[in-house]
Amino acid sequence: MKFFLDTANVDKIKYYADMGLVDGVTTNPSLVAKEGRNFEEVIKEITSIVNGPVSAEVTATDSENMVKQARQLSKMHKNIVIKIPMIKEGIKAAHTLAKEGIKINMTLIFSPSQALLAAKAGARYVSPFVGRLDDISHIGMELVETIRGIFDNYDFNCEIIVASIRNPLHVVDAAVTGADIATIPPDVMDKLFNHPLTDIGLAKFMKDWESAFGK
Ligand code: G3P
């Protein structure tokens, strides 16, 4: 499973990229707004750090302007993937753009039928939002399982990005389910490392070494 970072924070991206843990990056308007920086400048900087797909989202909600924005954004770097919301106008835009060879990440996917439509229209990625489904008492990961089953039945050239990840178990479950990608917020990435027994074990190794050989 590939690891994407779900952030527009370049320091966090650099930090985990140095560990070889970043196969790509996803952003959205909320994440970019949080950084308080110029959108295109941030996206450009991310493409200079990560050698993999970088999702940048359109803010238009009609297909004509989505296409315009997408063409503009995709000129910035060969690794730019255009994130488009899963609405009818978005599907129309995705279809036009896919025919031009522009890669689309269909976002705000909350049902199997939406994922199927996105793949049929030519999207290169679908982003089911597991955390937001969990938030309303639906099991988000069941959606990922269903989409996996559908995509395995056919030969869509469409990868599943598990999005709206809120905890380390979401990442593990995404891998168990056979999702292609998990897009992980930095705080969750950090939690993936932790285990109290690792800390206790290391402290004991250090203490034993010190008592035998000194500092
Ligand atoms: O980028 C889309 C997605 O990962 C958003 O997550 O936590 O805002 O539901 P969240």
Side-chain angles (χ1 to χ4, degrees):
M1 185 172 71
K2 283 169 268 189
F3 276 24
F4 287 5
L5 262 195
D6 197 23
T7 184
N9 184 295
V10 291
D11 293 333
K12 301 276 182 197
I13 295 168
K14 270 187 207 134
Y15 181 75
Y16 292 109
D18 282 347
M19 297 183 201
L21 293 174
V22 185
D23 300 305
V25 169
T26 52
T27 66
N28 63 34
S30 311
L31 292 171
V32 174
K34 200 168 129 189
E35 296 307 313
R37 294 183 53 195
N38 174 274
F39 176 41
E40 300 204 350
E41 191 185 292
V42 175
I43 296 296
K44 213 170 233 161
E45 205 174 329
I46 297 173
T47 57
S48 73
I49 303 166
V50 176
N51 186 19
V54 174
S55 286
E57 189 160 339
V58 295
T59 49
T61 51
D62 65 287
S63 70
E64 199 186 316
N65 284 306
M66 283 176 177
V67 167
K68 268 190 201 153
Q69 281 185 1
R71 284 181 184 143
Q72 202 56 39
L73 284 168
S74 63
K75 275 189 205 141
M76 282 169 56
H77 195 275
K78 64 177 174 44
N79 287 342
I80 299 280
V81 171
I82 306 299
K83 229 175 172 187
I84 293 188
M86 177 57 223
I87 54 176
K88 282 181 184 155
E89 289 293 299
I91 287 289
K92 197 171 153 194
H95 184 56
T96 304
L97 294 162
K99 281 190 291 187
E100 295 173 16
I102 293 174
K103 288 186 182 142
I104 307 300
N105 173 359
M106 214 76 203
T107 190
L108 291 167
I109 298 274
F110 292 99
S111 77
S113 61
Q114 291 179 324
L116 183 56
L117 289 172
K120 278 195 75 70
R124 182 68 186 73
Y125 305 93
V126 286
S127 289
F129 276 31
V130 294
R132 292 192 198 184
L133 280 169
D134 288 354
D135 288 346
I136 57 157
S137 301
H138 284 253
I139 301 171
M141 210 51 70
E142 281 180 2
L143 170 61
V144 178
E145 276 167 32
T146 308
I147 299 172
R148 179 75 284 157
I150 293 170
F151 285 8
D152 287 350
N153 284 341
Y154 304 99
D155 60 351
F156 294 124
N157 186 21
C158 186
E159 291 184 273
I160 304 171
I161 303 179
V162 178
S164 186
I165 281 180
R166 301 275 167 77
N167 57 57
L169 270 186
H170 277 152
V171 178
V172 174
D173 288 343
V176 171
T177 307
D180 303 287
I181 299 146
T183 189
I184 310 170
D187 66 310
V188 176
M189 187 71 115
D190 221 51
K191 289 179 187 157
L192 289 173
F193 288 82
N194 300 338
H195 199 290
L197 292 180
T198 305
D199 300 338
I200 292 166
L202 181 60
K204 185 166 172 6
F205 287 156
M206 294 300 106
K207 194 168 164 265
D208 292 346
W209 183 266
E210 210 179 301
S211 30
F213 307 109
K215 282 206 178 185

